[in-house]
Amino acid sequence: MLIVYLPEWISTLTGIPLKNIFLFSPAVLSALFIIPMYYWLKHFAPIHVFIGGAFLGLFNSIYFIRTSLGRYDTDFLILFFVFLILLFITKAVFDKQKSYFYIIFSGFLFNLFMFWYYKPIFVAFFSISLFIGLLIYKESFIQSLKKTVVFSISAGILYLIPLLFQIKHYLLSYILKESPNFLPVGSGQFIIELQPVNLHKFINLTVDNTGAVVLAVLGLILLFVKYYRYMVIALPIIIVGLTIFTAGERFLIYLAPFLGMGIGYVLYIFQQLMIKKVTKKLIKKFITFAIIFITAFISMNSNILIQISPPIVQNKIVQAYKELDRKIEKNAYVWAWWDYGNEIEYFLRRGTYIDNHSFNQVKTYFFAHSMLLHDEEKARNLIAFTTNNYFKEYGSDIKDREDLFLLKEKAYSYKEKLKNPVYIYWNPYDIYKDVILQLGIYGTKEYKGNISFAKAFFECIEEEKVYNCGRFEFDKTFLIVYWKDEKYKEENPYAEVNYVEIKENRENIYVNLFKNEDSKKRLMLEFIRYKDKLYFLIADIKFKNSLFHRFMTYDKNLKYFEPVYIKFPDFVVYKVM
């Protein structure tokens, strides 16, 4: 909740407009972590280690992008809290007289951290940091355990049960890429930033130089050997960073500062070897200054110099939201996939049922399921059930598949009127979101048997007489499809080839161009025309009668869903009746 309150507090104290705080605070506050990191390192490491850690911590590709102007997210203060807690845990290890004071104070800081970034699993990471730090500093096992328990209670007494669930979640979702609950797939495996990173990409995201990465790893090992009593305290955080290779690129933000420290330490050793052979003080100072400069230079990823962050929402979509705003009631809610939740809430000032920061498993499933159903009455009832009731009233006791399916069947027969107007926001390009497809068909009788997730949706290139659609050319005038690949024509994987022309304010034109009952792949090929542009769609034939497809083509023949607005191919909007 601190991330919510912080802009308001700053705005009240300074008079700075909220929009400017949202714009500048990520870039400004993301640098704060170097302060506790400096005080942590100054007790044992040369300044080069700090310079390397600061520059690579700030300027690796992931942290730089995720804390750029306007990227208002939790990332820009995470490292600040991590190094601040490490600093006081280190003090608790090395100052026996004030050890318990620093332990309790670290627990207080951890609770503040949770107020900013709610990840109870960090209780375990910091508890391990304290415990192994005390053991390495030759504290007795019993005394080390006692102090760790005190920290665990002061830091995590409120988070014990969530901690246990998060350990399971991290293991299944981030490491094993499995669903941590009653759903068949985990949402984490479909999020780009949570995809495993290979060695080539790792080099590209850090310093974009193989030699520098080798120096970083070598230096970090040497740093551990030389200052193991300090560095072992940070080992759990480094291990979190190493999960970049299994859990995804976002975890680089934890590892990058330590890699930078490694670069700084190797160059420091090199500097000391050079200085030994020099007698003049002026030359020694020059060498020191040069090595520090080189440390900063090597520890900065050159890719950030050419990094251009595209706008999250394009101007044409902003204008579409303004038009849509005039068409829907002020007290309406929007039924949309989480990717669009925050932008809908911001531009339309209407609530959504799932969004970019609330991954409610039941609601996520119900949204995807409602889009893949063929029975529009069931879909309407499912949406009405979910939107009329609070999750705590219907979903908090869902423990397994049977509970979920019982709730779904109950929702199917829910015929109550909507308490507030509800609008469905649907993006045709969501056909590429496998998580929607895999969740949507889960427990749906229409999709039993073989399902092909082969899919394509793109705009054809307009030429003088035809639209060029890759393997096909489509005649503008006579609705004739020309196969450009004769071998592909003979194999013909399509059970149906259709033409749909979307008419905004009247019935669509629909023409079946070809049927092949013997098709083995059971795919549907469809040419969709809207305002003189032609789009090419491939999907499993079973998707033809789904709401997914009917919304996509702006179907006017639905009984329980009324078409309201079209911005094809970006999104379409229906009102739930």
Side-chain angles (χ1 to χ4, degrees):
M1 295 303 293
L2 184 57
I3 194 171
V4 178
Y5 293 130
L6 186 65
E8 178 63 25
W9 291 341
I10 295 175
S11 182
T12 301
L13 290 172
T14 64
I16 299 173
L18 277 173
K19 62 180 182 181
N20 290 343
I21 294 171
F22 287 126
L23 177 63
F24 293 110
S25 56
V28 174
L29 298 182
S30 63
L32 282 182
F33 80 88
I34 66 175
I35 298 173
M37 187 180 77
Y38 170 77
Y39 283 103
W40 182 67
L41 289 170
K42 69 174 290 192
H43 295 291
F44 65 94
I47 191 66
H48 306 63
V49 175
F50 166 71
I51 295 296
F55 272 80
L56 190 50
L58 285 168
F59 300 120
N60 65 84
S61 291
I62 296 301
Y63 195 67
F64 182 79
I65 292 169
R66 296 184 66 85
T67 61
S68 56
L69 289 172
R71 182 77 182 244
Y72 193 83
D73 202 346
T74 53
D75 287 7
F76 65 82
L77 277 183
I78 288 175
L79 285 181
F80 169 75
F81 282 109
V82 166
F83 277 104
L84 190 63
I85 294 169
L86 279 181
L87 171 64
F88 283 97
I89 284 178
T90 303
K91 287 181 177 291
V93 168
F94 287 92
D95 190 337
K96 289 189 176 182
Q97 288 186 337
K98 298 180 180 178
S99 184
Y100 281 103
F101 167 77
Y102 288 130
I103 286 171
I104 293 172
F105 187 67
S106 298
F108 165 77
L109 291 175
F110 183 84
N111 280 274
L112 193 60
F113 183 32
M114 290 299 96
F115 197 41
W116 176 262
Y117 183 60
Y118 187 77
K119 295 293 179 183
I121 195 168
F122 275 94
V123 175
F125 299 148
F126 288 121
S127 294
I128 295 170
S129 293
L130 177 63
F131 185 69
I132 60 177
L134 290 166
L135 286 180
I136 294 296
Y137 196 58
K138 298 183 178 179
E139 191 92 47
S140 70
F141 180 85
I142 298 298
Q143 193 65 20
S144 300
L145 186 61
K146 187 188 298 183
K147 289 183 177 182
T148 303
V149 169
V150 171
F151 171 77
S152 299
I153 292 173
S154 62
I157 190 66
L158 301 176
Y159 314 112
L160 179 60
I161 295 177
L163 165 64
L164 298 176
F165 279 106
Q166 277 209 342
I167 291 174
K168 175 186 175 183
H169 173 75
Y170 271 66
L171 177 63
L172 292 177
S173 293
Y174 293 164
I175 309 300
L176 301 178
K177 299 298 181 182
E178 296 179 3
S179 175
N181 51 48
F182 44 78
L183 294 180
V185 294
S187 56
Q189 65 180 278
F190 296 96
I191 299 174
I192 293 175
E193 67 188 48
L194 297 180
Q195 301 312 304
V197 171
N198 59 29
L199 186 59
H200 174 75
K201 189 173 183 181
F202 174 71
I203 293 170
N204 179 264
L205 294 174
T206 49
V207 289
D208 199 28
N209 183 285
T210 304
V213 170
V214 172
L215 282 183
V217 174
L218 175 63
L220 188 56
I221 293 171
L222 293 174
L223 203 57
F224 260 91
V225 173
K226 179 69 174 178
Y227 304 109
Y228 67 94
R229 288 183 176 177
Y230 288 90
M231 292 301 297
V232 76
I233 297 172
L235 183 60
I237 303 303
I238 295 173
I239 291 173
V240 171
L242 287 171
T243 59
I244 181 177
F245 296 107
T246 56
E249 62 185 34
R250 183 177 182 179
F251 291 85
L252 179 64
I253 70 173
Y254 300 100
L255 182 62
F258 295 100
L259 291 174
M261 293 176 198
I263 291 174
Y265 191 57
V266 167
L267 292 175
Y268 169 75
I269 293 173
F270 180 66
Q271 171 196 295
Q272 294 304 99
L273 293 173
M274 291 180 65
I275 287 176
K276 284 182 180 179
K277 298 182 180 182
V278 176
T279 55
K280 292 185 178 181
K281 289 185 178 180
L282 186 62
I283 296 178
K284 287 183 178 182
K285 288 183 178 180
F286 173 78
I287 291 173
T288 301
F289 175 80
I291 294 297
I292 289 175
F293 177 80
I294 292 170
T295 299
F297 180 78
I298 293 178
S299 300
M300 186 172 70
N301 192 331
S302 59
N303 288 326
I304 66 171
L305 300 175
I306 57 172
Q307 176 67 37
I308 299 176
S309 298
I312 295 174
V313 182
Q314 296 178 343
N315 187 58
K316 64 175 182 176
I317 302 299
V318 175
Q319 296 306 314
Y321 280 135
K322 290 180 179 179
E323 294 175 12
L324 180 58
D325 180 48
R326 294 191 288 267
K327 292 178 176 289
I328 65 177
E329 299 89 336
K330 295 297 182 184
N331 65 335
Y333 291 98
V334 182
W335 185 254
W337 188 241
W338 73 54
D339 287 348
Y340 317 106
N342 285 355
E343 67 185 58
I344 289 171
E345 290 164 0
Y346 180 78
F347 289 111
L348 288 181
R349 297 293 192 271
R350 272 81 164 182
T352 58
Y353 286 89
I354 52 174
D355 54 34
N356 310 62
H357 51 267
S358 57
F359 294 84
N360 183 294
Q361 301 297 335
V362 175
K363 291 182 181 180
T364 300
Y365 169 63
F366 277 0
F367 175 87
H369 189 63
S370 69
M371 295 298 103
L372 271 295
L373 283 172
H374 290 189
D375 188 326
E376 61 169 298
E377 183 177 6
K378 285 184 177 179
R380 179 265 168 211
N381 293 344
L382 183 71
I383 295 169
F385 174 81
T386 309
T387 57
N388 275 359
N389 298 288
Y390 291 105
F391 176 75
K392 63 182 180 181
E393 297 170 350
Y394 65 79
S396 56
D397 59 347
I398 303 297
K399 296 181 176 61
D400 52 33
R401 168 179 170 166
E402 286 70 26
D403 290 339
L404 182 67
F405 284 1
L406 285 172
L407 183 66
K408 181 188 68 174
E409 291 297 328
K410 179 180 178 181
Y412 280 166
S413 58
Y414 184 83
K415 300 182 182 299
E416 300 295 326
K417 291 183 179 180
L418 295 165
K419 294 179 180 178
N420 285 76
V422 176
Y423 289 84
I424 294 173
Y425 177 105
W426 185 241
N427 188 320
Y429 284 106
D430 284 346
I431 192 172
Y432 288 113
K433 292 185 169 65
D434 283 337
V435 63
I436 296 179
L437 301 180
Q438 291 187 32
L439 286 180
I441 67 172
Y442 183 50
T444 310
K445 64 179 182 180
E446 289 91 349
Y447 301 97
K448 288 182 178 179
N450 293 329
I451 297 291
S452 171
F453 284 105
K455 51 195 174 295
F457 178 65
F458 58 84
E459 183 179 343
C460 300
I461 299 171
E462 185 175 4
E463 297 177 354
E464 185 178 355
K465 295 183 178 180
V466 298
Y467 290 101
N468 186 344
C469 304
R471 285 175 168 167
F472 308 93
E473 286 184 346
F474 192 87
D475 190 287
K476 289 183 177 181
T477 307
F478 300 106
L479 307 186
I480 299 173
V481 180
Y482 302 103
W483 298 65
K484 292 195 287 186
D485 186 332
E486 287 298 321
K487 184 179 178 181
Y488 192 71
K489 181 180 180 180
E490 291 175 9
E491 295 174 355
N492 188 9
Y494 305 111
E496 285 188 13
V497 179
N498 302 312
Y499 170 78
V500 180
E501 186 168 343
I502 297 175
K503 298 293 185 180
E504 192 164 343
N505 297 312
R506 61 182 192 272
E507 292 298 312
N508 295 342
I509 295 173
Y510 183 88
V511 180
N512 174 252
L513 303 176
F514 178 82
K515 278 192 176 183
N516 177 17
E517 297 294 341
D518 298 324
S519 171
K520 294 181 180 179
K521 293 189 178 180
R522 305 295 297 162
L523 293 175
M524 172 182 68
L525 169 63
E526 194 164 75
F527 298 93
I528 305 172
R529 191 171 185 175
Y530 179 67
K531 291 186 175 179
D532 295 324
K533 290 186 177 182
L534 191 74
Y535 299 85
F536 176 94
L537 169 67
I538 293 175
D540 191 286
I541 191 66
K542 292 184 179 180
F543 288 114
K544 179 182 177 182
N545 295 318
S546 68
L547 289 177
F548 169 102
H549 178 247
R550 298 183 72 178
F551 287 155
M552 184 177 187
T553 54
Y554 208 56
D555 192 341
K556 320 296 188 306
N557 294 315
L558 293 165
K559 180 179 178 181
Y560 296 96
F561 302 94
E562 179 183 306
V564 172
Y565 183 77
I566 182 169
K567 181 67 177 175
F568 193 88
D570 299 303
F571 66 86
V572 296
V573 176
Y574 278 76
K575 185 174 185 179
V576 183
M577 306 306 290

